[in-house]
Amino acid sequence: MTAPGLGLWSHPELRAALAAEDWGGVLRTYRKLSGLSQTKASELVGLVQPDVSDIERGRRRVTSSEVRQRILTGLGAPPHVTGPERRPVAGLALPGPGPDDDLLARITGAADATHKVDAPTLDRLDRLLAEHRSAEDLIGSRPLVGLMRQQLASVVGLFAGARGPLADRVIRLASEHAQFLAWMAQDQGQTAAALTWYDRSHDWALEAGDADMAATTLSMKAHMAWSGGRGDRAVRLAEAARRSAPDASPGVRGMAAQMAARGHALNGAGDDAHRLLDEARRLIDRASERPEDEPAWMYFYGDTWFTLQRGMIAMHLRDWTGAADHLRTGLAGLSDSYRRDRTWYGCCLAHAYAQSGEPAEALSVSLPLVPDAATIGRPHSWNELHTTAAAMIRSGAKEGHRLVEALRQHD
C-alpha cells in the first residue's frame, strides 16, 4: 500500500505540524487531508492502530528517530519538506497621501493637556479611519498595522485634552481603532493578539456607552471561534452579543445572528443555522431601510455579503452545490475594491467545486487567485487553496497536482 501523494505535503497545516515535531498532528492532519483511516495509516507507517491512536491523542510521545522516520517514509514525505515560511508582502503601498499637515497640527496640539480637543479634529480622524478600512479591503492588513498602531497612540493621546462629550468621542474612537487592529491581527492568524485587542476595544466601548461596538467585538470573537473550528464557542459568543445589546442597530444585531448561525452550521445543526439566517436576513432588510443609523464599520454588511455567508454555511452543512451557487452569486456582486474578500470567497468557491466533483471548475477558479492568496490572503485564503488541492488529489483528479505546482511557485 502506498501513500496518496506528495502534493499533500505542501499543505500549511501539515508542514506546521512537521516543523513543530508534533507527530500526533502530522498523523491527524495527513489522515484528514488524505481521507485515510487510522487502520490504513498504521499499515503505511508500520505501527499498530492503537499506537497511532495514542500518538494522535497525545498519550504517547514519539521520541525514537526510527519511529519518526517510519512516519515520514510511510506517509511519503519528500526530502525537501520543511516548516512554513513567513513571506513578506511584496510591492504593496498605501494609496494616496497620509494625514494632512493641519490634522497633524491639531492632533499634536490637542494631545497637550493645556489644549482642548475640538470636534473637527475628531471628525477628520473618523474619516481617516474609514479610509483605512477601505484601503485594507484592497491591499490587505499587513501594510496597515504599523500605521494604525501609531494612529491609535495619537487618539489615546488626545484624551488628556478632551472634555465632556468630546472625551466620550475620543474613547469611542480608540475603541474603533482597537477593533480594527484586532481584525487585522485575526486576518493574519495572530489569535492571541486579536483577542487582546478585542478585549481592549470591548472595554473602551463599554466606557463610552457604545453598545454597537461592544456587541460587534463579541460577534468578532465568535468569528474567531468559528475560524478555529469551535462551533459551540462561536454560538455562545454570538448569543452573548445578542443579549448584551438589544438596542444595537439592526445591522449589528443581524451580524450577531449570522455569527450564531455559523456556529450552529459548524456543529451540523442545519435547522438552527437556517432559522438564525432568516432572522439575520430580516435585520439586514431593516438596516438597508435606514443605512444612516448603522455604525461606520458596518459599511460592508448588505445583501451581497449576506449571500456569501449563506454560501459559507452551506459549505459547513456539506451542501456543496448550494454553496457554489451562493458564493458564485455573491462574488458577482462584490466590488473589485474588496480584493481581499474576493480572494477569500473565490478560494471557498474553488473548494466547493472540488468537493462537488467539478475539479476543472475548481482549478479554473483557483489559478488566478494564487498570487493574491500568497500575499494579502495569507494565511486563510492560502490554506483554503491547499485544502482544495488536497480534496482534488484525494478524489484522484489530476487538477489537484496542477494547483499544488502553482502554489509551490508562490511559496
Side-chain angles (χ1 to χ4, degrees):
M1 181 176 179
T2 58
L6 300 182
L8 300 181
W9 286 94
S10 66
H11 196 284
E13 288 184 27
L14 191 53
R15 290 172 58 182
L18 181 61
E21 295 192 6
D22 175 8
W23 298 101
V26 168
L27 287 165
R28 207 166 41 246
T29 304
Y30 187 91
R31 289 198 311 102
K32 179 183 74 173
L33 295 173
S34 65
L36 286 180
S37 66
Q38 280 190 348
T39 300
K40 294 297 184 183
S42 67
E43 293 174 8
L44 288 174
V45 301
L47 296 170
V48 296
Q49 185 272 329
D51 284 345
V52 170
S53 177
D54 286 346
I55 292 170
E56 289 192 6
R57 292 173 178 268
R59 295 173 178 169
R60 173 180 169 181
R61 296 183 61 195
V62 176
T63 57
S64 164
S65 59
E66 177 189 356
V67 174
R68 290 196 294 267
Q69 192 57 49
R70 282 160 66 180
I71 292 173
L72 292 173
T73 302
L75 299 185
H80 64 274
V81 167
T82 59
E85 301 176 0
R86 291 189 62 85
R87 178 184 177 91
V89 178
L92 294 182
L94 283 177
D100 56 48
D101 291 339
D102 180 55
L103 177 58
L104 183 61
R106 285 174 177 272
I107 290 174
T108 54
D112 187 331
T114 62
H115 292 76
K116 290 186 178 181
V117 180
D118 58 12
T121 298
L122 300 184
D123 290 342
R124 292 190 188 189
L125 285 167
D126 275 332
R127 291 195 297 271
L128 189 60
L129 178 56
E131 291 171 4
H132 287 147
R133 289 189 183 111
S134 295
E136 194 263 344
D137 289 328
L138 181 65
I139 66 175
S141 57
R142 286 179 178 82
L144 284 166
V145 173
L147 175 63
M148 296 311 302
R149 282 177 175 270
Q150 294 174 12
Q151 196 163 303
L152 173 58
S154 296
V155 171
V156 171
L158 298 178
F159 184 71
R163 299 291 183 271
L166 290 179
D168 288 338
R169 279 197 64 185
V170 171
I171 298 171
R172 176 192 60 75
L173 192 56
S175 177
E176 289 191 39
H177 278 73
Q179 185 267 341
F180 189 36
L181 281 164
W183 161 252
M184 291 192 289
Q186 179 179 341
D187 181 57
Q188 295 175 43
Q190 299 168 0
T191 302
L195 287 172
T196 298
W197 281 118
Y198 278 133
D199 285 343
R200 179 61 60 85
S201 175
H202 187 77
D203 288 348
W204 278 335
L206 293 177
E207 185 177 349
D210 190 340
D212 286 331
M213 178 53 77
T216 296
T217 55
L218 290 172
S219 288
M220 296 311 295
K221 279 188 172 184
H223 176 66
M224 285 190 66
W226 167 82
S227 297
R230 303 176 65 183
D232 289 340
R233 179 171 170 78
V235 171
R236 288 196 299 271
L237 285 165
E239 291 297 341
R242 282 152 59 82
R243 290 194 306 272
S244 67
D247 296 328
S249 76
V252 169
R253 286 183 284 131
M255 175 189 282
Q258 181 267 324
M259 290 295 180
R262 275 188 177 188
H264 284 300
L266 196 59
N267 290 338
D271 289 345
D272 287 331
H274 288 300
R275 171 179 56 80
L276 285 161
L277 274 179
D278 290 342
E279 180 179 341
R281 171 82 252 182
R282 291 191 293 271
L283 288 163
I284 286 178
D285 290 341
R286 286 182 56 191
S288 67
E289 293 171 2
R290 296 183 62 87
E292 67 276 10
D293 292 341
E294 293 298 316
W297 61 87
M298 295 296 293
Y299 65 97
F300 63 91
Y301 194 79
D303 189 66
T304 293
W305 187 81
F306 185 77
T307 300
L308 292 166
Q309 299 315 300
R310 280 199 181 276
M312 297 302 297
I313 286 174
M315 288 184 71
H316 288 315
L317 298 174
R318 307 185 70 80
D319 175 13
W320 303 112
T321 301
D325 288 343
H326 288 305
L327 291 168
R328 190 168 53 245
T329 300
L331 281 164
L334 194 61
S335 166
D336 289 342
S337 63
Y338 290 92
R339 180 180 166 206
R340 184 204 58 239
D341 287 351
R342 288 188 65 83
T343 302
W344 163 244
Y345 291 115
C347 293
C348 293
L349 175 59
H351 186 185
Y353 278 136
Q355 294 285 12
S356 61
E358 299 183 69
E361 291 290 340
L363 185 66
S364 176
V365 170
S366 296
L367 289 180
L369 298 173
V370 171
D372 280 348
T375 52
I376 66 171
R378 283 182 184 252
H380 304 293
S381 296
W382 188 246
N383 290 358
E384 191 72 6
L385 285 183
H386 282 81
T387 300
T388 299
M392 289 192 285
I393 290 171
R394 192 164 58 243
S395 70
K398 63 183 184 300
E399 287 85 354
H401 296 284
R402 289 181 59 189
L403 179 54
V404 166
E405 287 303 314
L407 292 167
R408 283 177 178 166
Q409 291 174 13
H410 287 79
D411 204 358

